[in-house]
């Protein structure tokens, strides 16, 4: 009991994701063999899997190369902290919960601001949903600006090492919810936690599923803020993007939305506000109304039902 | 630095091994349609508001092209185990090249769909495809 309140030194923490590699390998091989043997539980496609895993490695390399940017910003805010919150085991559990609230909003902004979507879209670019999809991670995380959402923690005196630790734990948890091999968990579990069922909905391209279930570990944030959608029993899913990519080339996957932004803002005859909107408005916004945002798509689908 | 090199080497080795593992257990095959009728219904689903007037299929049943009454032209192509489709007009293709087996390679201007391979095993079919892809200009 005493241990729960004993002070730890976050500077000494190991990065959980640094030991997660072998775990990921094991479970991905296991899932491939399971689907192959049982002929159910999802699908793997060779080039899709290779692309996802290359994106995963690239994301890690980018974290090594550019991770210091976020750490630099958070450390500077931490230097201006108004109080000190000592790092204890119990504090880490609370932080894991509170940081998940931060993750919910970070993820929601990643879907609703095109600049952030250009980075996050990588994660949604596979038409498959399996453990390898979890590793299809963005490579320009350090440049979205969403690191600013960590500032309340740093200002309140949470050590940047503790923030990084729970952030990594959150990502490891999310690896396991990218699977079709399991159905639904008991009701209490589905009510509180983000599960494969909830995350399948998040990756689905059905109009009613777009921009829903943003949760990291706890699905309660979606239930509170009105973005929760329940997967129906035995619901057939299609994963990916509303307009899917026609390439497995990792470079094109990683950059296509940034290229799209660049093409849009370099059109002739636009007002400054229109160029600004092409970068920061929701994905699908266009100055002449020729494209559809996720809200337009939902509205259209609803009109067809009515 | 050593860490970075380790990361890059293992980060490349792992995807390559998984690529071959998934191929070895049969997850490397591309999707195919059974016949022209199936290709037509897959293409019709991309434009429900207009009827198809002509369907061309590739010799390996992995790509098809449809012309619609309203003037649209749409190509169906495999993305691994899933179908992809794209509308094309006279600005979509940068050029068409031909492999030594006679297959057509479409070099697209789209950043997200740079290339399409259309397997073709006879001259008549090739000419039909070329005519459709160039909107009659080389017919
Ligand atoms: Zn997302
Ligand atoms: Zn995901």
């Amino acid at each position: 009991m005493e241990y729960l309140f004993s002070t730890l030194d976050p500077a000494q923490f190991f990065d959980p994701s640094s030991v997660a590699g072998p775990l990921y390998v094991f479970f991905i091989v296991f899932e491939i063999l399971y689907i192959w043997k049982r002929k159910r539980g999802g699908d793997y496609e060779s080039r899709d899997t290779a692309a996802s895993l290359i994106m995963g490695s690239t994301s890690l390399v980018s974290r090594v190369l550019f991770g210091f940017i976020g750490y630099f910003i958070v450390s500077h805010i931490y230097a201006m902290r108004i109080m000190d919150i000592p790092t204890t085991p119990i504090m880490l559990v609370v932080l894991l919960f509170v940081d998940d609230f931060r993750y919910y909003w970070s993820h929601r902004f990643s879907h609703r601001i095109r600049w952030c979507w250009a980075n996050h879209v990588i994660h949604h670019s596979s038409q498959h949903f399996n453990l390898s999809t979890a590793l299809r991670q963005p490579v320009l995380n350090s440049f979205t600006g969403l690191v600013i959402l960590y500032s309340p923690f740093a200002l309140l005196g949470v050590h940047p090492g503790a923030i990084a630790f729970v952030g990594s734990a959150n990502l490891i948890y999310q690896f396991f919810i990218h699977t079709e091999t399991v159905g639904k968990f008991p009701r209490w579990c589905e009510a509180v936690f983000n599960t494969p069922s909830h995350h399948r909905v998040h990756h689905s391209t059905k109009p009613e599923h777009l921009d829903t279930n943003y949760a990291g570990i706890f699905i309660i944030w979606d239930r509170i803020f009105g973005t929760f959608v329940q997967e129906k029993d035995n619901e057939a899913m299609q994963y990916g993007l509303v307009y899917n990519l026609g390439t497995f080339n990792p470079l094109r996957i990683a950059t296509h939305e940034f290229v799209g932004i660049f093409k849009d803002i370099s059109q002739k005859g636009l007002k400054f506000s229109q160029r600004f909107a092409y970068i920061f408005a929701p994905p699908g916004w266009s100055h002449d109304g020729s494209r559809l945002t996720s809200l337009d798509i939902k509205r259209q689908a609803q009109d067809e039902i009515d | 630095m050593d860490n970075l090199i380790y990361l890059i080497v293992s980060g490349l080795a792992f995807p390559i091994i998984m690529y071959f593992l998934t191929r070895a257990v049969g997850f490397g095959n591309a999707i195919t349609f059974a016949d022209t009728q199936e290709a037509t219904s897959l293409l019709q689903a991309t434009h429900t508001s207009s009827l198809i007037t002509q369907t061309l299929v590739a010799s390996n049943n992995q790509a098809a092209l449809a012309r619609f009454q309203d003037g649209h032209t749409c190509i169906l192509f495999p993305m691994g185990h899933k179908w992809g489709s794209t509308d094309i007009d006279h600005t979509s293709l940068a050029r068409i090249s031909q492999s030594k087996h006679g297959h057509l390679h479409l070099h697209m201007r789209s950043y997200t769909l740079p290339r399409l391979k259309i397997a073709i095993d006879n001259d008549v079919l090739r000419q039909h495809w070329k005519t459709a892809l160039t909107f009659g200009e080389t017919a």
Side-chain angles (χ1 to χ4, degrees), chain A residues 21 24-25 28-29 32-33 35-36 43-47 49-51 53-54 57 60-61 64-65 127-128 135 237 239 244-248 251-253 255-257 259 263, chain B residues 3-4 6-8 10-12 14-16 18-30 77-85 108-116:
Chain A
Y24 294 157
V25 176
I28 286 174
V29 172
I32 290 170
L33 297 177
I35 293 170
W36 171 55
D43 187 24
Y44 270 82
E45 203 280 332
S46 303
R47 285 177 297 167
T49 304
L53 300 178
I54 288 172
S57 321
L60 267 181
V61 171
V64 172
L65 293 178
Q127 294 192 62
H128 294 278
L135 302 186
M237 293 289 202
Y239 303 108
N244 280 305
L245 305 185
T247 177
F248 292 111
L251 185 68
R252 287 183 194 262
I253 294 172
T255 54
H256 75 271
E257 190 65 18
V259 170
K263 278 186 186 158
Chain B
N3 270 351
L4 196 59
Y6 168 76
L7 204 61
I8 292 169
S10 58
L12 269 177
F14 178 46
I16 292 169
M18 288 303 123
Y19 173 78
F20 285 110
L21 173 69
T22 47
R23 275 184 75 102
V25 295
F27 294 146
N29 301 338
F77 59 90
M79 266 297 285
H81 301 166
K82 311 278 179 184
W83 288 115
S85 66
M108 315 284 283
R109 289 212 170 85
S110 162
Y111 187 74
T112 53
L113 178 58
R115 242 185 333 273
L116 279 177

Side-chain angles (χ1 to χ4, degrees), chain A residues 190-194 198 213 215 217-223 228:
Chain A
E190 296 284 340
V192 178
F193 292 103
N194 192 14
H198 299 326
N213 297 5
I217 298 177
F218 301 99
I219 197 69
I220 54 168
W221 311 122
D222 287 283
R223 294 182 187 277
F228 176 71

Side-chain angles (χ1 to χ4, degrees), chain A residues 51-64 137-139 250 254, chain B residues 11:
Chain A
S52 292
L53 300 178
I54 288 172
M55 306 303 311
S57 321
T58 316
S59 169
L60 267 181
V61 171
S62 141
R63 236 169 81 172
V64 172
Q137 286 291 327
V139 289

Side-chain angles (χ1 to χ4, degrees), chain A residues 107 111 117 120 123-124 202 214:
Chain A
H107 192 183
H111 277 249
W117 173 245
H120 183 61
H123 181 61
H124 287 272
H202 180 67
Y214 294 115

